[in-house]
Amino acid sequence: MDLSGRFGARSGNGVPFREVTGLESLHLGGGDEFRQMVLPENGGGFTALLELPPTRAVELLHSSSSSSSQATLHSVGTLTFPSNPILMERAARFSVIATEQNPNGNISGETTTSSVPSNEHIKTEPAETETSDQAAVEKQNNRCGKRKDFDKKVNSSTKKKSKSSEENEKLPYVHVRARRGQATDSHSLAERARREKINARMKLLQELVPGCDKIQGTALVLDEIINHVQSLQRQVEMLSMRLASVNPRIDFNLDTILASENGSLMDGSFNGTTMQLAWPHQVMETEQSYHHRQLQQPPPQQWPFDGLNQPVWGREENQDHGNDHNSLMVGSASLHPNQVKMEL
Amino acid sequence: MASADKPINTDVPEKDVFTLHFLQSLSNLRRQNTFNSPEKTNDRVKKIKKAAYVSMARAAGGTNRLWSRALLRRAAKENSKVVRFPRRKKRVTCLRRRRSNRRDPVEEEEAERLRNLVPGGGGMETSKLMEETAHYIKCLSMQVKVMQCLVDGLAPK
């Protein structure tokens, strides 16, 4: 038949069937619905994969040429789960697919995309895979001159991939689509998944490290990242040396302060009662001087310690009122108004 | 095979948390009698540095992050203290390295260097390593900021 002839030309080396098995090997569990769709491999394999009656498939295929590519792209989502209620429900869950859904019957031209079994998804970040897959697919499309008919359909397959990649985040296991012309054994699929994972994280690191966006190539980027980490560690060491030299002159009398704070603050949740520090601008020269955290914005009328603090904090811009530990024992509510701007 | 990739979470707490922990560790250091002796500056430096890292690890993720856990374990080993980490539902302690057929040699060399830099990187797979590195970089830069402010506040030029 005309239909099978075209499919035969396309899948010269039986790739789709291998892909089928490759996919099966990837499904570790709960893939019953997939097996239903994948297993019946009788006769004209692709339509059987779809579980569509062959006549309907032919009719749909021939109508593909008339339909716009846009429509095919939009109706892609419906293709994947034509007759399976479970998967239909899943597909309906995603607004992207749902809003763009043409009525179910219009599965035009997507039959060929199911040469790869229709329920393959790409695991990782949709944007990346979508663009990369589209590029790869289009490259392959351009190469095969006599397979022009399938350009549209393969494009739609990438669109389907992008949509179904959203779906992937909810599924417990990975569906990786095997690209055209690439090996489909489970090893390389997993390898590809792994590489995509690594690339995603590399992108994250690139944003973090300044000056990494411009660099092309993983090795140089990694070099830059390593340099950055090393420089940060060296900075910590340098600063700790400086702190060590400064430290003996300062007496940290933070115990009580910290005790009172810890009573009122949760670990790491500083939102409500933000502990903010103001640092003295001048070096404490005497050994007697206490370096306290300033807990209170000086509302001058409330603090009787101004006179007390004068000799100690004489050169300070912000008055330090923290000498009285009793005042620090006030409950959490009082810490809230006691916020000093942190000069960081 | 690979599990679905949830969005990578590299959130780091605010500066205040870091400051609090760091100052806590510093004040603990102060309590030690030998701390102020000017002769042993190097020791002091080392102690401060260690305190910085440990406080950073505690502030930044506690035991939720692999690198912080490794750091704390390393520090506790030096102190010969027994460190207990709360058990979570997942067995995080079994770190398998996945065998895959193709390992990019250039990338793996870099990954090896990263592993030496980031604490706890020895047992991690490359993608996990990168996630940890991102978080580590964020925390390190936060810690540097905190220390810089401290130094500026205490000894301005």
Side-chain angles (χ1 to χ4, degrees), chain B:
Chain B
M1 288 276 177
S3 58
D5 198 16
K6 310 182 202 77
I8 307 171
N9 179 25
T10 50
D11 290 339
V12 148
E14 293 295 316
K15 260 180 240 163
D16 311 345
V17 185
F18 281 89
T19 330
L20 177 68
H21 281 84
F22 188 47
L23 286 172
Q24 262 177 338
S25 61
L26 278 183
S27 71
N28 283 337
L29 280 179
R30 295 284 314 170
R31 283 204 218 115
Q32 298 175 17
N33 293 333
T34 61
F35 195 65
N36 287 337
S37 56
E39 303 93 33
K40 304 182 188 153
T41 337
N42 281 336
D43 277 356
R44 207 158 70 224
V45 167
K46 281 197 204 119
K47 281 187 183 164
I48 290 187
K49 190 166 82 161
K50 201 174 83 166
Y53 276 114
V54 168
S55 73
M56 171 172 82
R58 218 174 283 142
T63 50
N64 287 337
R65 282 280 160 177
L66 271 168
W67 65 261
S68 62
R69 222 175 290 156
L71 241 182
L72 289 172
R73 198 175 276 137
R74 196 194 294 172
K77 214 176 3 168
E78 293 174 16
N79 296 343
S80 68
K81 250 194 317 184
V82 176
V83 185
R84 306 165 109 248
F85 295 113
R87 287 262 178 225
R88 297 189 304 167
K89 287 179 199 157
K90 268 197 304 183
R91 291 273 317 184
V92 193
T93 48
C94 56
L95 301 165
R96 299 178 284 118
R97 207 179 267 190
R98 257 179 265 175
R99 302 277 166 213
S100 65
N101 292 340
R102 280 188 310 157
R103 296 214 136 156
D104 193 356
V106 179
E107 176 193 295
E108 279 308 308
E109 170 189 324
E110 310 282 341
E112 198 57 40
R113 287 167 66 186
L114 253 187
R115 279 202 192 96
N116 292 337
L117 279 183
V118 178
M124 279 193 257
E125 218 234 326
T126 312
S127 58
K128 188 76 179 167
L129 178 71
M130 301 198 138
E131 201 175 321
E132 295 290 317
T133 312
H135 194 257
Y136 186 58
I137 288 180
K138 271 194 193 171
C139 294
L140 263 184
S141 44
M142 189 71 73
Q143 183 75 18
V144 162
K145 265 188 241 171
V146 164
M147 289 176 80
Q148 186 74 48
C149 291
L150 249 184
V151 170
D152 286 344
L154 292 181
K157 294 300 170 185

Side-chain angles (χ1 to χ4, degrees), chain A residues 20-59:
Chain A
V20 165
T21 54
L23 179 68
E24 281 184 351
S25 70
L26 274 187
H27 288 188
L28 292 184
D32 280 352
E33 55 257 16
F34 300 132
R35 291 185 190 278
Q36 285 175 23
M37 307 202 51
V38 156
L39 281 177
E41 296 176 19
N42 43 357
F46 299 102
T47 59
L49 289 174
L50 279 188
E51 292 187 349
L52 284 179
T55 54
R56 182 154 173 79
V58 171
E59 149 198 339

Side-chain angles (χ1 to χ4, degrees), chain A residues 245-313:
Chain A
S245 67
V246 164
N247 218 4
R249 292 188 279 176
I250 307 298
D251 185 13
F252 283 98
N253 198 339
L254 300 172
D255 302 338
T256 48
I257 303 176
L258 294 174
S260 68
E261 282 172 24
N262 287 337
S264 56
L265 300 168
M266 301 296 297
D267 265 358
S269 66
F270 269 65
N271 300 330
T273 62
T274 49
M275 250 299 305
Q276 285 167 329
L277 313 170
W279 296 109
H281 296 289
Q282 295 83 13
V283 179
M284 295 298 111
E285 297 201 343
T286 64
E287 297 243 339
Q288 314 291 326
S289 63
Y290 289 101
H291 180 91
H292 289 280
R293 274 192 188 162
Q294 297 196 4
L295 295 179
Q296 296 162 3
Q297 195 69 266
Q301 52 276 30
Q302 295 185 16
W303 290 103
F305 304 110
D306 282 351
L308 232 171
N309 289 332
Q310 279 304 327
V312 176
W313 302 99

Side-chain angles (χ1 to χ4, degrees), chain A residues 10-22 46 115-117 178-184:
Chain A
R10 185 177 177 213
S11 61
N13 49 354
V15 160
F17 294 97
R18 254 201 292 150
E19 286 171 349
V20 165
T21 54
F46 299 102
S115 65
V116 179
R179 294 186 201 140
R180 285 183 60 176
Q182 293 198 356
T184 53

Side-chain angles (χ1 to χ4, degrees), chain A residues 167-341:
Chain A
E167 187 173 348
N168 250 340
E169 303 184 9
K170 310 209 174 177
L171 295 173
Y173 45 89
V174 174
H175 307 272
V176 181
R177 172 175 293 279
R179 294 186 201 140
R180 285 183 60 176
Q182 293 198 356
T184 53
D185 46 322
S186 61
H187 280 304
S188 51
L189 280 173
E191 176 70 28
R192 196 154 357 115
R194 174 178 170 266
R195 297 206 71 79
E196 278 158 4
K197 221 171 157 186
I198 290 182
N199 285 338
R201 297 200 157 99
M202 184 81 69
K203 235 174 84 168
L204 195 70
L205 278 171
Q206 263 184 310
E207 294 166 19
L208 216 48
V209 177
C212 257
D213 326 349
K214 320 277 188 347
I215 306 180
Q216 297 299 326
T218 7
L220 296 174
V221 167
L222 276 173
D223 266 339
E224 195 59 40
I225 292 172
I226 289 175
N227 283 341
H228 192 243
V229 170
Q230 274 172 339
S231 82
L232 279 177
Q233 283 177 337
R234 261 180 273 138
Q235 267 182 316
V236 169
E237 186 163 351
M238 202 66 57
L239 284 171
S240 67
M241 268 201 315
R242 289 180 65 185
L243 259 184
S245 67
V246 164
N247 218 4
R249 292 188 279 176
I250 307 298
D251 185 13
F252 283 98
N253 198 339
L254 300 172
D255 302 338
T256 48
I257 303 176
L258 294 174
S260 68
E261 282 172 24
N262 287 337
S264 56
L265 300 168
M266 301 296 297
D267 265 358
S269 66
F270 269 65
N271 300 330
T273 62
T274 49
M275 250 299 305
Q276 285 167 329
L277 313 170
W279 296 109
H281 296 289
Q282 295 83 13
V283 179
M284 295 298 111
E285 297 201 343
T286 64
E287 297 243 339
Q288 314 291 326
S289 63
Y290 289 101
H291 180 91
H292 289 280
R293 274 192 188 162
Q294 297 196 4
L295 295 179
Q296 296 162 3
Q297 195 69 266
Q301 52 276 30
Q302 295 185 16
W303 290 103
F305 304 110
D306 282 351
L308 232 171
N309 289 332
Q310 279 304 327
V312 176
W313 302 99
R315 279 174 290 158
E316 296 244 327
E317 291 178 357
N318 300 322
Q319 293 301 315
D320 184 19
H321 305 282
N323 275 342
D324 186 9
H325 297 313
N326 293 332
S327 64
L328 302 176
M329 297 301 177
V330 188
S332 61
S334 70
L335 278 181
H336 198 42
N338 308 331
Q339 291 170 7
V340 189
K341 189 94 173 64

Side-chain angles (χ1 to χ4, degrees), chain A residues 122-135 158 161-163 165-166 169 203:
Chain A
I122 287 240
K123 149 181 82 76
T124 52
E125 290 65 17
E128 270 187 46
T129 57
E130 177 180 302
T131 53
S132 64
D133 287 345
Q134 273 180 351
T158 61
K161 263 179 290 183
S162 69
K163 284 186 199 148
S165 60
E166 298 170 25
E169 303 184 9
K203 235 174 84 168

